[in-house]
Amino acid sequence: MYHKRGLWAIKAKNGGAFPKHEKKAAAAAPAEKPPKFYPADDVKKPLVNKRKARPTKLRASITPGTVLIILAGRFKGKRVVFLKQLTSGLLLVTGPFKINGVPLRRVNQSYVIATSTKVDISGVNVEKFDDKYFGKKVEKKKKKGEGEFFEAEKEEKNVLPQDKKDDQKSVDAALIKSIEAVPDLKSYLGARFSLKAGMKPHELVF
Amino acid sequence: MPFKRYVEIGRIALVNYGKDYGKLVVIVDVIDQNRALVDAPDMVRGQINFKRLTLTDIKIDIKRVPNKKTLIAALEAADVKNKWESSSWGRKLIVQKKRASLNDFDRFKIMLAKIKKAGVVRQELAKLKKETTA
């Protein structure tokens, strides 16, 4: 082992003795008072966890502007345009709304097929959208009196606030222009995907 | 009934199993009852079982086991590539490959084109029907 590791050469380089490092002067630990209380049984300390929460790893085939096929939910089969990945890991996606009725929406990467068709997304600004934008609005609880329990509850309509509609319009305006530049792309995004006879998903190239 | 395509030196064959699946190779020598020595411009010359080959109609003029340069020259002289790609078998394989590599968007465009073509054909048919009944 001595010869195999070349220890003789290291010694010779250092003039006969093995090179030594000076021990770093340890910082003086503050004087601790002995504890007043010792627990009866030794309690195990939980292991330290240094993992950081990160957004899900994005598949290499999904880049901004990719056309995705949504596989589940009320928009299953719809072909939509991918905008960006949010910090929660979900994908921000839009129809565009005028073309296929899919609004600005979050979608999980696992429920999506990425096609190799890309749309030019350079004219679109998606900086302002994040997970909080899509979160449920917290309503102030109203204290109900006894009499009001017997009244029919007022139907609360979920009206989309106007600023969300304007956001949709502004994102879609630039997108629709670049979509109309490619022939047939608009009708492609308006059509739903479905498996037909003879299509083998494991052999299809998307 | 008699055989038309023979195993001979210079016969072009299609590999139908194995690492070189789908390649066109030239039989440059026969090793024994089951194996042949084959060669192609883009592969190392090697042995292959006849069961892994399908013979084609194309034959080139070479001597037994030519070197690579002579082989490539003979293939060029006989214009094997164009003969293959213009044959119905070769054209079928090209179409199969193209269809397998189609994108989802390409499949959509093809569907639109098929509908359009069917519409034009139907219109012509209707016109002809009207002429024969009138």
Side-chain angles (χ1 to χ4, degrees):
Chain A
M1 260 325 229
Y2 180 80
H3 263 286
K4 184 175 179 181
R5 291 178 60 188
L7 299 177
W8 54 274
I10 297 176
K11 264 195 177 176
K13 224 191 200 183
N14 206 41
F18 205 75
K20 272 199 223 152
H21 286 293
E22 290 285 326
K23 259 198 177 162
K24 269 189 259 184
E32 276 180 28
K33 276 206 297 201
K36 272 193 253 179
F37 171 74
Y38 291 95
D41 296 311
D42 280 332
V43 183
K44 262 197 173 169
K45 271 206 210 142
L47 291 171
V48 59
N49 180 10
K50 285 196 169 167
R51 290 187 169 183
K52 294 200 188 123
R54 281 197 175 90
T56 341
K57 188 156 183 232
L58 197 58
R59 264 180 269 161
S61 53
I62 303 181
T63 62
T66 314
V67 172
L68 308 173
I69 300 177
I70 297 185
L71 297 172
R74 66 181 287 219
F75 296 113
K76 54 177 158 288
K78 294 269 191 196
R79 297 167 169 124
V80 294
V81 180
F82 168 69
L83 298 174
K84 75 171 189 184
Q85 185 181 32
L86 304 167
T87 46
S88 64
L90 299 172
L91 312 180
L92 176 63
V93 130
T94 181
F97 187 68
K98 261 219 149 73
I99 296 182
N100 54 19
V102 180
L104 279 163
R105 200 170 206 265
R106 296 184 295 176
V107 128
N108 191 312
Q109 211 191 144
S110 309
Y111 298 96
V112 136
I113 294 180
T115 67
S116 46
T117 317
K118 311 263 185 236
V119 174
D120 181 22
I121 212 175
S122 49
V124 181
N125 185 352
V126 277
E127 299 290 314
K128 65 181 280 204
F129 302 113
D130 61 344
D131 289 292
K132 259 208 299 185
Y133 180 89
F134 294 100
K136 285 214 168 83
K137 297 282 178 287
V138 181
E139 281 176 19
K140 276 190 269 179
K141 278 195 186 168
K142 292 186 214 156
K143 294 233 173 104
K144 289 189 183 173
E146 272 191 31
E148 290 184 0
F149 276 122
F150 300 103
E151 286 179 11
E153 279 188 29
K154 272 190 277 179
E155 280 187 32
E156 290 179 23
K157 280 202 189 154
N158 285 344
V159 184
L160 244 194
Q162 184 60 31
D163 56 329
K164 287 214 173 167
K165 294 190 191 171
D166 294 336
D167 288 336
Q168 181 77 52
K169 282 209 190 101
S170 63
V171 167
D172 287 353
L175 253 186
I176 291 183
K177 239 196 281 193
S178 48
I179 288 173
E180 287 180 343
V182 182
D184 291 332
L185 190 58
K186 194 161 178 215
S187 46
Y188 172 63
L189 290 175
R192 279 208 205 223
F193 170 83
S194 71
L195 280 180
K196 310 264 177 13
M199 285 176 127
K200 299 176 196 156
H202 67 295
E203 285 181 0
L204 286 180
V205 168
F206 283 99
Chain B
M1 261 328 297
F3 289 105
K4 294 221 182 75
R5 301 172 183 161
Y6 293 95
V7 169
E8 48 200 331
I9 295 179
R11 175 66 60 185
I12 306 277
L14 185 69
V15 179
N16 55 24
Y17 185 92
K19 191 169 62 97
D20 302 312
Y21 179 80
K23 271 206 202 148
L24 279 182
V25 293
V26 189
I27 297 179
V28 295
D29 198 2
V30 172
I31 297 172
D32 62 12
Q33 192 200 352
N34 299 316
R35 289 175 300 158
L37 193 63
V38 293
D39 202 355
D42 58 341
M43 70 181 244
V44 178
R45 190 203 307 151
Q47 58 109 37
I48 192 169
N49 193 314
F50 286 120
K51 292 188 176 179
R52 293 193 174 193
L53 294 177
T54 328
L55 303 179
T56 67
D57 286 328
I58 309 174
K59 180 179 180 307
I60 63 173
D61 189 19
I62 50 169
K63 290 209 163 52
R64 191 180 75 91
V65 195
N67 47 18
K68 227 13 175 257
K69 220 168 41 154
T70 338
L71 181 71
I72 294 179
L75 285 170
E76 290 289 307
D79 203 17
V80 165
K81 194 162 190 280
N82 287 332
K83 271 203 212 147
W84 176 247
E85 285 172 5
S86 56
S87 72
S88 56
W89 184 359
R91 273 185 283 132
K92 258 190 277 180
L93 286 187
I94 291 174
V95 168
Q96 275 174 19
K97 259 195 212 126
K98 189 76 180 51
R99 287 207 180 131
S101 70
L102 283 178
N103 198 344
D104 189 44
F105 189 25
D106 295 333
R107 268 176 262 134
F108 181 78
K109 285 191 268 193
I110 285 177
M111 176 194 70
L112 293 181
K114 275 193 185 169
I115 292 173
K116 212 175 187 184
K117 175 176 142 206
V120 171
V121 168
R122 210 173 287 134
Q123 269 188 330
E124 285 301 315
L125 184 63
K127 253 191 254 174
L128 289 174
K129 274 202 191 147
K130 242 206 307 192
E131 282 172 24
T132 51
T133 54

